[in-house]
Structure formats: C-alpha cells, structure tokens
Amino acid sequence: MHHIASELNQDVAPENKAKPRLLLHACCAPCSTAVVERLQADYEISIYFYNPNIHPVEEYRQRRDELIHWCKDVAKIPCIVGEYVPEKWLEQVRGLEHEPERGRRCNRCFRLRLQQTASYARKYGYDLFTTVLSISPHKRHQHINRLGLALARQSGIEFYAANFKKQNGFKRSIEISRALNFYRQNYCGCVFSLRKFKA
Ligand code: SF4
C-alpha cells in the first residue's frame, strides 16, 4: 500500500499539491509583511489578529484596520479578528506591571495570544500555527518558540518555530512598510510599554 501511495503522490505536479494551512498570529501589518512574503510560497496562510494587550482602543483599531486592509488589498489572504477583551489580558499579567520588556509579563502576554491562536487553529482544522512576534528585535524568539512548542504538545497542532529576524527579516519589514506608507508604532502595545515610552 505504501508503495502505491507514494507512486500516486509522484503523479501530482508540485504546484498542484495542497499547501499546509497555517494560522499566523499577527500584531500589526508592518511585522506581518516580511513573514508572509517568506512563507507564502509554502503555506496557505490565514492571519489571526488576536491582541487584547494593545492599549488604548484607538491604537488597537488602527493596527487592526491597517492589517485588514493590507490582507485584503495587497497580500490577498484572509484576516481573522479575534475578540478584544483587555480585562482578560490584564488578569493574566496582574502583579507583573513593573516588569521590564522581555521579562515575565511579556511571557504571559505571548502565552495568552499563542494559546488563543492554537485553540482557534485546532477548532478550524489548520495544520499548524505560528506568530510574527519573533521578527521584532525587542523579542526573544527562544521564549516565543518554547511557549509555542509547549502549546503544540497540549493542543495537538504543530507549531512552526522560527526566528523571523534572521536573514534581515526585520529590515525587510521596514522596507515594505515604508513603501506602503504604513503606520509604525513606537511602543510594543500594552499600557505599561506605552508609559515607559512616554516617561
Ligand atoms: S511589552 Fe509588549 S509583549 Fe510585553 S506585555 Fe506589553 S504588549 Fe505584551
């Protein structure tokens, strides 16, 4: 049987093979550009915007709407928007308000967003999930990947571990964002990172 199956597979031209369905968690359009460019040849990508960490709501809407428009008009990929319940995020990071960026608060923040992504991916039959977050020079890909792989074991959905900073990923995201005249935020997203930026 194995022999027949592999013969049948060889009859399928590579361009006609179905690509694995990847649910890509994204925080904004600029960070998504270079990641989608890198993965689009090999995966059927859907963007998942789930970011209850973003404060204030006007900032949330700005990042969300720009991403929706870019997905629709430029990248031509689906963009799914998750619920926005900042109280849920605050609950997760309670007691860690004064942690520095890259510290324990950020790990909780990654976990909430990745957990939700894995759960959505499982519910809707995706083959794997990942996040654009590792493209940021302010984020450690090791933490993100460790969390993603642990969630993969729990959820049964494969996690695509990556460091999207590599091969000039961040630089490329800036190039594309400038060319498309994107808004580029100057703080990570939560109220605590905003306060630090303004301080
Ligand atoms: S600094 Fe960024 S990653 Fe860290 S908790 Fe705030 S929004 Fe989340």
Side-chain angles (χ1 to χ4, degrees):
M1 278 307 276
H2 280 299
H3 181 62
I4 292 168
S6 66
E7 275 184 359
L8 285 175
N9 285 342
Q10 280 166 17
D11 287 337
V12 180
E15 65 271 20
N16 294 333
K17 276 188 185 167
K19 295 177 193 171
R21 294 179 68 227
L22 170 69
L23 188 64
L24 176 61
H25 166 264
C27 54
C28 60
C31 288
S32 306
T33 54
V35 176
V36 169
E37 183 179 75
R38 191 174 291 184
L39 300 178
Q40 210 162 19
D42 297 320
Y43 297 95
E44 185 189 324
I45 301 172
S46 295
I47 292 280
Y48 188 53
F49 183 81
Y50 175 73
N51 301 289
N53 52 313
I54 299 175
H55 173 91
V57 68
E58 294 77 18
E59 174 79 17
Y60 172 84
R61 289 192 188 120
Q62 186 163 6
R63 296 190 197 187
R64 178 198 64 191
D65 294 350
E66 188 168 64
L67 182 62
I68 290 172
H69 290 135
W70 174 73
C71 285
K72 182 169 175 282
D73 300 336
V74 182
K76 315 279 186 206
I77 54 178
C79 182
I80 301 143
V81 175
E83 63 174 8
Y84 180 59
V85 185
E87 296 74 22
K88 191 169 171 181
W89 179 83
L90 280 166
E91 184 62 37
Q92 292 293 317
V93 302
R94 196 174 307 283
L96 301 173
E97 292 83 354
H98 300 293
E99 279 280 310
E101 203 165 330
R102 297 180 170 200
R104 288 183 300 156
R105 187 186 69 239
C106 297
N107 283 347
R108 294 258 184 98
C109 178
F110 298 152
R111 190 173 65 199
L112 176 66
R113 291 186 282 167
L114 284 173
Q115 245 169 2
Q116 182 61 31
T117 308
S119 152
Y120 190 95
R122 184 183 170 144
K123 187 169 177 190
Y124 292 99
Y126 286 83
D127 297 303
L128 64 175
F129 73 102
T130 193
T131 175
V132 305
L133 290 172
S134 71
I135 201 166
S136 164
H138 303 291
K139 295 182 175 60
R140 293 198 177 105
H141 69 279
Q142 296 93 335
H143 290 171
I144 295 165
N145 289 334
R146 205 176 301 130
L147 280 165
L149 292 169
L151 289 165
R153 284 191 292 276
Q154 285 166 24
S155 66
I157 298 278
E158 190 182 334
F159 177 72
Y160 181 104
N163 179 5
F164 291 119
K165 280 184 278 300
K166 273 187 159 179
Q167 298 159 318
N168 286 325
F170 182 64
K171 190 166 162 257
R172 180 69 185 139
S173 74
I174 291 175
E175 278 170 8
I176 303 173
S177 302
R178 284 198 180 131
L180 297 174
N181 203 21
F182 279 160
Y183 158 68
R184 291 190 60 241
Q185 61 271 6
N186 41 24
Y187 69 103
C188 186
C190 67
V191 62
F192 310 114
S193 60
L194 175 62
R195 272 186 208 153
K196 187 177 155 248
F197 170 71
K198 283 185 168 170

